[in-house]
Amino acid sequence: MEIKQTVKELFEPTFEAIGDSELSYDRKRALLYNMYCFACAVYPEYVAAPHSALFEYGCCFLIEPERHPDYKLDPSKFDFSPGSAVAIEGGGRKYSRRGKDFIKYDYGSKLFTRLLEQGVIPPDDREPIPSVSLYAAAYLCCNMFKPLRPLWYTYYFYLDATNEPVDEEFDEKLFELLHNDGVYAEAMNVTGSMLIADEAELGAGKLLKWYAPFIAYRREHIFDVFEKRMNAGDAEFVAEYSSELLKCYPDSVSLMNWNAASRTEWVIKSQDEGMLRDLVADLREFAKLTDSAIVKKYLKLAVLMKKNLDNK
């Protein structure tokens, strides 16, 4: 799972929930901007394609290239042809939206300061945005928006990895809010939860305390999730999740069975030759470890598909 996917899974619903909330404009802006900075710290490329709410509430801005203070000095620097530099020396970056070309810039940036001095920034967006503790921001979002709880539970490791000092008050509140079976059950359906390893991989620190209850819950209930996702036609989720868990539990016959079934279905849908070859190789390894009839069945099917492919 790529880091870009995890950032979108966590932050896009968060930005949308804040933007759609009944909070005041200033409170929305403060939460959105601090979360945006967090998202960019985790994945710097997020700055290139932020959520629409960030533009709506004065965190990100767009102007036509001709309105950039340096445009008249050298229009050639604002060329949008393929291969041209994305960043603008005088501030901002090239950004295309709905077939039109713009210059994007963020609150607090060099270009924002220049345009603020020129009186270009809208009145509602001129006021400084206060810094908010990320722990406080995460707690406020989870407390207000219940659907965000499994997401922030899952991706707590991003909070733990920041250089920001731990806000003990809100870290404790977040722990109390998110540690229950309801959150664990929903967190198993968060794609990023497949990145949460076994207890042995987490060591003896803070993350073990945070994730140990979920890992125990997942160990008991994950196959129910796999069954529901397969019945819903989501073989890809089961294939990726079971593959990750096999790294922690390589001798689990149940995981091998689900992995065999889901990956075979995924290959049939995708018709991906590389995936099929990998599947055959892995199922042969599974067959060395278990006498499972399920593994044998899918191995025979995968080998047959490979023969048909090779004979084309």
Side-chain angles (χ1 to χ4, degrees):
M1 188 177 184
E2 296 182 356
I3 190 169
K4 178 181 179 179
Q5 294 174 269
T6 68
V7 168
K8 289 181 72 69
E9 185 175 42
L10 173 60
F11 288 101
E12 298 277 283
T14 300
F15 294 142
E16 187 165 349
I18 296 170
D20 291 343
S21 73
E22 299 298 321
L23 294 172
S24 68
Y25 185 93
D26 288 344
R27 289 198 69 191
K28 287 183 182 182
R29 186 171 178 239
L31 273 176
L32 286 167
Y33 180 70
N34 281 274
M35 285 294 193
Y36 174 52
C37 292
F38 186 18
C40 291
V42 174
Y43 179 62
E45 289 304 310
Y46 190 74
V47 70
H51 191 274
S52 59
L54 295 161
F55 292 97
E56 187 176 352
Y57 291 98
C59 301
C60 302
F61 303 85
L62 296 176
I63 57 170
E64 294 80 5
E66 296 80 8
R67 294 178 59 204
H68 191 286
D70 296 339
Y71 181 81
K72 292 181 179 179
L73 297 176
D74 188 355
S76 66
K77 291 184 178 179
F78 297 83
D79 174 27
F80 277 75
S81 61
S84 61
V86 174
I88 304 296
E89 186 176 338
R93 59 185 291 128
K94 296 170 188 175
Y95 185 91
S96 295
R97 187 180 194 182
R98 298 171 187 167
K100 292 188 65 176
D101 294 332
F102 296 95
I103 302 301
K104 172 191 171 288
Y105 61 100
D106 295 341
Y107 165 84
S109 66
K110 179 180 179 180
L111 184 54
F112 177 89
T113 302
R114 295 178 70 185
L115 294 176
L116 181 65
E117 292 170 351
Q118 295 178 12
V120 174
I121 304 297
D124 287 346
D125 300 327
R126 294 174 185 172
E127 292 299 315
I129 297 178
S131 177
V132 179
S133 154
L134 293 179
Y135 293 88
Y139 172 77
L140 291 171
C141 288
C142 290
N143 194 41
M144 288 188 293
F145 314 117
K146 191 174 181 180
L148 297 181
R149 294 177 187 178
L151 292 172
W152 282 95
Y153 178 84
T154 297
Y155 288 109
Y156 180 82
F157 55 78
Y158 281 146
L159 265 178
D160 185 66
T162 65
N163 292 324
E164 180 173 314
V166 177
D167 185 328
E168 299 290 350
E169 176 188 356
F170 284 101
D171 192 31
E172 185 175 335
K173 287 183 176 181
L174 200 59
F175 189 96
E176 292 175 358
L177 181 65
L178 301 185
H179 279 79
N180 59 75
D181 286 355
V183 170
Y184 306 151
E186 292 298 325
M188 287 190 296
N189 284 288
V190 177
T191 307
S193 70
M194 68 176 67
L195 302 177
I196 301 171
D198 186 57
E199 295 96 333
E201 299 292 325
L202 294 175
K206 184 179 180 181
L207 290 182
L208 177 62
K209 180 181 178 182
W210 182 271
Y211 288 120
F214 168 74
I215 294 170
Y217 186 93
R218 181 176 65 183
R219 198 176 286 124
E220 184 177 348
H221 297 283
I222 190 61
F223 299 124
D224 296 332
V225 174
F226 286 175
E227 184 174 3
K228 290 178 181 177
R229 297 295 286 253
M230 286 290 285
N231 289 339
D234 196 357
E236 182 177 349
F237 175 89
V238 179
E240 292 184 341
Y241 211 126
S242 59
S243 293
E244 287 296 325
L245 289 185
L246 277 167
K247 296 175 184 177
C248 300
Y249 313 107
D251 298 325
S252 171
V253 176
S254 294
L255 281 174
M256 293 181 201
N257 289 341
W258 279 109
N259 191 257
S262 58
R263 288 175 64 191
T264 302
E265 184 170 324
W266 190 7
V267 165
I268 292 172
K269 288 181 179 179
S270 67
Q271 296 294 301
D272 188 299
E273 297 181 13
M275 287 174 57
L276 176 57
R277 292 189 178 90
D278 290 342
L279 175 64
V280 171
D282 289 345
L283 292 184
R284 282 173 174 158
E285 290 301 313
F286 290 173
K288 295 176 183 178
L289 299 172
T290 177
D291 198 35
S292 166
I294 294 175
V295 168
K296 289 180 179 179
K297 179 181 75 171
Y298 285 109
L299 175 57
K300 288 180 181 178
L301 178 58
V303 168
L304 179 60
M305 288 192 292
K306 188 176 183 299
K307 284 182 179 179
N308 290 336
L309 179 64
D310 293 340
N311 291 333
K312 283 185 178 180

